Amino acid sequence: MTPPLLTVEGLRTHFFTRAGVVKAVDDVSFTLARGEVMGLVGESGSGKSITGYSIMGLVDPPGRVVAGSIRLDGRELTTLDPESMRKLRGNRVAMIFQDPMMTLNPVLRIDRQMTEAILAHDDVGERVALGRARDALERVGIPSPDERLKAWPHQFSGGMRQRVAIAIALLNEPDLIIADEPTTALDVTIQGQILHEVQKLARETGTALVWITHDLSVVAGLADRVCVMYAGRIVEQGTTAQVLDTPAHPYTQGLLDSVPSRNARGARLKQIPGMTPSLIGLAPGCAFRERCARADADCAETPAMSVDGNDPGRGVRCHHPIVPWTQPPR
Amino acid sequence: MLVFVIRRSLQSVVVLVAMSVIVFVGVYAIGNPIDILINPQADQIDRERAIAALGLDRPLWEQYLTFLRGAVTGDLGRSFVHSTSALGLIVEKMPATLELAFSAMLIAIVLGIPLGLWAGLKPDALSGRTIMAGSILGFSLPTFWVGLMLIMVFSVMLGWLPSNGRGTTVDLFGVPLSLLTVDGLAHLALPAPNLALFNVALLIRLTRSGAREALLQDYVKFARAKGLSNRRVIGVHVLRNILIPVVTVIGLQFGALIAFAIVTESVFAWPGMGKLLIDSINLLDRPVIVAYLLVIVTLFIAINLAVDILYSALDPRVRLSEGGG
Ligand SMILES: Nc1ncnc2c1ncn2[C@@H]1O[C@H](COP(=O)(O)OP(=O)(O)O)[C@@H](O)[C@H]1O
Ligand code: SF4
Ligand SMILES: [Mg+2]
């Protein structure tokens, strides 16, 4: 078996605020193979973006990666010096953000914002860089790329801006793209187009994807595997089919029940009762227990990630999983 | 663009006419210049002759129309005191004031923007806090008091720098400048920082808050995600965005600097327009006061126009032809 492209182990990223320590990411582990597409799903505030920033080395103070390991191609990123980390960013790992209206700098022309991403990593001339920028625009389906290079961000629609952002992420043919809810701010038809486009491009170039979303229906057609995140922890992981068809964690079940298209026509949508807990001074125990119908006294103790004995890619963090669970051999 | 400039110029004429009425009525209300200009021992006939000569016996509206007729041809009246063209007096003093204001603005830019950027990047560090504390002083200390202190320390106690006048000037295209001689620079060394102080503080605050705001924006995170160096992220992505408000304020403050140079010019006996204005007010030299105020308003209008054009060059989202003035 080839070694994974990305290994995240026991990652903890905390924010040291005046009000207290916010454990935004608290013991997150997963692996990602080359060319694999992983969905990272969870409600807003569950720590998905911060997980992405941690991998990129972009956590801003007062936040800090306090524990764990992130290995890209066997190389440890958490202890990497800033300059080596800079060389990886946008080169081996790229990131796309949620709001395309905000990610492009309003006062810089598109050509500049694209070529600078090339020139930061490759010692090529302005001309070569422009050519590559143009090709990248064409690849993401932007018509008349030569003209569009000379345009300003405000002259593009939201969907087109997100295409530009994707083109920028693809410029240096990275091994991994972290896409942080890139379609959430777009309307539904554009969402579908972008989703399709990114999937196609990732497959063509063999780029692995971490696709962050709060919408389980988005990952259904896109991801090979899914991690479900709740209150800074991954509570369930498995192949897309495993997680969507036979969810083991009550939270995953709750998320699935609240997706409109998956429910029988006319059936009432079930919302998960209660609210996501505050991450400041979170008490020990399962963070979901206030909202969980299966909770009992056991749940006052923090459940560990329990990996299926027959399938190391399948795991759940719950004392009482919904589906029968093969305990790992002792 | 051209349409914009033309429309703005027409608006400016309206503003100028309105200004001239206000100024004329205002100046008319303060004191009677004859009491100052005429020897108190002069008899009634002399007195009436002088009043007639200055046109002060006519009703206000007639005086105004006479003034307006002259103004159209560029004649803003004659000084009561010097008996020369009021505009000529002001133009003669203008280089001194512009030079002082320009030097002050240069100091404000060279100090204010880098210090503000630093304070914005390191808001919690000791250096950042010190800069901010300094800017509060710059805001709150009165200009005349700082000017007097500068003279006390550097001229009286240490004897390093001269405290009044422009020093030796050199003509550049017929305009006398202090900036080009060592003696002139020594004479600028106290008044220019004195006048700059408020604007240094202003630019520090503006740049700092702009930087702090820009640093939180997604485009900065995206720029870093592209693997750009810190230098480029700050120097291009952040600075370009801060520059828009900063340039606007610099432009507008330049007008204010020219106007507020009055205080610094008085303290340092700097022979500029501001000092001329104070002298003219003391002597109730109405034509010079009116001409000064109109010149200042014209300068403000010209600066505003330049700022708007510059603004549109910096911010691609702004179109001059839309939205008008
Ligand atoms: N700068 C910050 N200071 C304090 N807390 C933060 C900061 N940024 C994020 N957090 C906290 O981290 C948690 C996870 O945030 P995030 O990863 O953005 O959630 P998601 O992307 O899943 O919506 C949130 O509860 C948020 O309050
Ligand atoms: S551990 Fe307990 S509270 Fe948490 S999800 Fe499982 S059953 Fe519910
Ligand atoms: Mg997020």
Side-chain angles (χ1 to χ4, degrees):
Chain A
M1 202 178 117
T2 55
L5 172 70
L6 178 73
T7 310
V8 176
E9 255 171 28
L11 178 69
R12 292 179 202 266
T13 304
H14 296 176
F15 286 83
F16 299 88
T17 67
R18 229 170 263 171
V21 179
V22 182
K23 299 182 175 176
V25 176
D26 205 28
D27 193 12
V28 160
S29 306
F30 60 87
T31 61
L32 192 67
R34 262 181 200 287
E36 195 174 27
V37 179
M38 186 188 102
L40 185 57
V41 188
E43 284 167 298
S44 170
S46 54
K48 308 180 299 289
S49 296
I50 303 298
T51 303
Y53 295 160
S54 303
I55 298 168
M56 295 292 290
L58 284 179
V59 179
D60 286 321
R64 191 155 48 83
V65 173
V66 292
S69 142
I70 301 167
R71 286 190 302 279
L72 185 75
D73 244 346
R75 198 161 165 210
E76 179 61 50
L77 302 189
T78 52
T79 52
L80 210 57
D81 64 284
E83 176 58 14
S84 308
M85 194 65 219
R86 178 195 73 72
K87 283 183 179 155
L88 282 181
R89 273 201 290 269
N91 194 12
R92 304 314 338 137
V93 203
M95 190 156 177
I96 314 168
F97 296 94
Q98 175 168 348
D99 189 349
M101 295 301 184
M102 309 298 291
T103 46
L104 297 177
N105 193 324
V107 300
L108 294 177
R109 238 167 53 173
I110 298 297
D111 51 359
R112 201 133 170 237
Q113 300 197 47
M114 294 191 79
T115 54
E116 68 178 0
I118 298 171
L119 299 174
H121 302 289
D122 286 349
D123 196 10
V124 295
E126 192 87 25
R127 264 270 209 60
V128 177
L130 262 180
R132 270 168 65 184
R134 186 208 162 277
D135 293 345
L137 284 186
E138 190 161 49
R139 206 147 51 136
V140 297
I142 289 184
S144 44
D146 287 302
E147 278 163 46
R148 299 313 266 164
L149 268 180
K150 298 202 173 57
W152 299 91
H154 72 271
Q155 295 167 325
F156 288 78
S157 67
M160 280 296 160
R161 281 193 219 195
Q162 199 58 292
R163 281 171 197 263
V164 173
I166 292 165
I168 290 176
L170 287 169
L171 276 174
N172 297 308
E173 300 183 345
D175 299 318
L176 170 64
I177 294 179
I178 299 168
D180 190 356
E181 312 212 27
T183 58
T184 307
L186 305 175
D187 63 50
V188 182
T189 40
I190 312 284
Q191 260 187 40
Q193 288 172 14
I194 299 262
L195 218 59
H196 176 75
E197 205 86 49
V198 172
Q199 200 177 9
K200 195 184 85 191
L201 289 167
R203 201 167 293 149
E204 279 170 15
T205 53
T207 307
L209 272 181
V210 172
W211 192 280
I212 296 175
T213 175
H214 62 266
D215 185 353
L216 265 177
S217 59
V218 167
V219 297
L222 175 76
D224 303 314
R225 288 195 309 118
V226 175
C227 289
V228 180
M229 220 171 156
Y230 187 77
R233 299 193 179 120
I234 289 180
V235 294
E236 173 162 12
Q237 58 188 19
T239 64
T240 306
Q242 284 168 339
V243 174
L244 298 192
D245 297 342
T246 53
H249 197 283
Y251 176 63
T252 313
Q253 181 69 60
L255 277 183
L256 284 169
D257 288 343
S258 60
V259 174
S261 58
R262 293 182 62 89
N263 288 275
R265 196 178 272 273
R268 269 184 63 212
L269 288 183
K270 280 181 282 180
Q271 291 297 327
I272 306 174
M275 286 183 5
T276 45
S278 157
L279 296 183
I280 297 183
L282 197 59
C286 177
F288 190 57
R289 72 179 183 282
E290 306 291 325
R291 307 168 75 183
C292 181
R294 302 167 74 89
D296 64 13
D298 297 348
C299 305
E301 200 171 305
T302 309
M305 176 62 77
S306 163
V307 174
D308 191 295
N310 304 324
D311 178 359
R314 179 81 175 119
V316 67
R317 245 184 209 276
C318 174
H319 294 297
H320 310 293
I322 298 168
V323 292
W325 202 256
T326 324
Q327 288 302 317
R330 288 180 191 262
Chain B
M1 172 84 177
L2 189 65
V3 177
F4 172 80
V5 173
I6 292 172
R7 183 163 44 194
R8 274 296 279 273
S9 307
L10 290 177
Q11 288 171 351
S12 307
V13 171
V14 176
V15 171
L16 272 174
V17 171
M19 247 323 271
S20 69
V21 174
I22 295 169
V23 168
F24 215 82
V25 174
V27 168
Y28 197 82
I30 51 167
N32 187 353
I34 286 300
D35 297 340
I36 292 176
L37 291 171
I38 287 252
N39 184 344
Q41 264 89 58
D43 60 18
Q44 196 58 27
I45 298 171
D46 274 351
R47 197 179 157 84
E48 264 158 28
R49 199 178 300 134
I51 290 175
L54 296 176
L56 293 175
D57 53 344
R58 311 276 165 71
L60 177 60
W61 62 268
E62 210 181 312
Q63 289 185 37
Y64 179 70
L65 282 186
T66 312
F67 164 79
L68 210 56
R69 218 173 297 133
V72 173
T73 64
D75 173 12
L76 296 183
R78 299 178 79 77
S79 160
F80 292 166
V81 179
H82 305 275
S83 308
T84 53
S85 147
L87 189 59
L89 274 174
I90 288 162
V91 168
E92 187 191 322
K93 301 288 186 189
M94 198 185 277
T97 297
L98 288 182
E99 183 178 56
L100 182 61
F102 175 80
S103 310
M105 194 40 97
L106 201 67
I107 292 170
I109 291 169
V110 168
L111 286 181
I113 294 179
L115 286 178
L117 200 57
W118 183 269
L121 294 177
K122 305 198 178 278
D124 297 321
L126 182 65
S127 53
R129 287 166 192 266
T130 310
I131 293 170
M132 288 320 285
S135 82
I136 291 173
L137 280 186
F139 263 131
S140 40
L141 295 179
T143 303
F144 75 90
W145 183 82
V146 174
L148 292 177
M149 287 300 121
L150 286 174
I151 292 177
M152 275 280 285
V153 175
F154 292 100
S155 305
V156 179
M157 287 164 65
L158 297 171
W160 288 353
L161 292 166
S163 66
N164 64 64
R166 291 184 78 183
T168 318
T169 58
V170 175
D171 279 15
L172 188 70
F173 307 116
V175 179
L177 290 177
S178 301
L179 273 171
L180 299 178
T181 69
V182 176
D183 184 50
L185 281 175
H187 280 82
L188 263 173
L190 291 182
N194 181 221
L195 186 57
L197 189 62
F198 178 85
N199 281 279
V200 175
L202 186 66
L203 284 186
I204 285 177
R205 300 231 137 204
L206 199 65
T207 310
R208 183 186 103 115
S209 64
R212 296 205 60 185
E213 197 189 310
L215 284 173
L216 296 176
Q217 300 295 315
D218 278 357
Y219 61 74
V220 168
K221 199 144 218 161
F222 190 56
R224 287 165 65 203
K226 288 194 280 192
L228 303 186
S229 63
N230 249 338
R231 225 191 141 101
R232 190 170 171 94
V233 173
I234 304 293
V236 175
H237 285 260
V238 172
L239 205 57
R240 268 299 207 103
N241 277 278
I242 308 180
L243 231 44
I244 296 170
V246 166
V247 165
T248 310
V249 167
I250 287 176
L252 299 180
Q253 279 302 114
F254 190 66
L257 269 182
I258 293 171
F260 288 112
I262 294 173
V263 176
T264 300
E265 286 181 6
S266 301
V267 173
F268 292 92
W270 188 263
M273 297 190 291
K275 192 161 173 305
L276 175 69
L277 176 71
I278 298 291
D279 295 344
S280 304
I281 289 174
N282 284 335
L283 296 171
L284 290 180
D285 197 347
R286 283 183 190 166
V288 179
I289 301 172
V290 171
Y292 171 86
L293 290 173
L294 289 182
V295 165
I296 290 287
V297 171
T298 310
L299 277 175
F300 263 93
I301 289 171
I303 289 168
N304 269 340
L305 184 63
V307 167
D308 279 340
I309 291 171
L310 208 58
Y311 189 92
S312 77
L314 283 173
D315 191 338
R317 292 161 295 189
V318 175
R319 279 289 162 80
L320 287 185
S321 48
E322 296 160 17

